[in-house]
C-alpha cells in the first residue's frame, strides 16, 4: 500500500516563527481542507455526532494534552 498525503504546516517552523511569509489567503484555503474539521462536519451532517458530543471529545483531548504538557514540565 502507498498513501500520499499533501499537507500544509499551519504555523511557522517553531514558536519563535509567526509565519508572516505565508499569505492569509493560502492559510485560509488550507484551513478549509483540514481533515479533522472536515470529518467532524461529515459526522455531524450524517447525525453520527452532535455538537455536545463533539465538545465532550474536544474537552477530553484538551485535558490529555494539558496532562501531557504538565508531565513533560515536571520531568
Amino acid at each position: 500500500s502507498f498513501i500520499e498525503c499533501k499537507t500544509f504546516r499551519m504555523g511557522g517552523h517553531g514558536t519563535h516563527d509567526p509565519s508572516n511569509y505565508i499569505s492569509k489567503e493560502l492559510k485560509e484555503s488550507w484551513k478549509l481542507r483540514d481533515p479533522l474539521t472536515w470529518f467532524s462536519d461529515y459526522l455531524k451532517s450524517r447525525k453520527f455526532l452532535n455538537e455536545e458530543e463533539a465538545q465532550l471529545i474536544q474537552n477530553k483531548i484538551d485535558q490529555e494534552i494539558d496532562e501531557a504538557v504538565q508531565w513533560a514540565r515536571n520531568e
Side-chain angles (χ1 to χ4, degrees), residues 14-39:
T15 56
H16 66 284
D17 181 3
S19 69
N20 295 333
Y21 46 85
I22 302 171
S23 73
K24 190 174 193 172
E25 293 80 18
L26 183 59
K27 285 183 183 180
E28 286 301 315
S29 70
W30 276 94
K31 188 175 182 180
L32 295 173
R33 299 160 74 179
D34 182 328
L36 297 177
T37 303
W38 180 89
F39 193 57

Side-chain angles (χ1 to χ4, degrees), residues 54-66:
Q55 189 59 53
L56 288 172
I57 292 168
Q58 187 60 55
N59 291 345
K60 177 76 172 147
I61 291 168
D62 293 342
Q63 179 184 353
E64 287 185 31
I65 291 171
D66 290 343

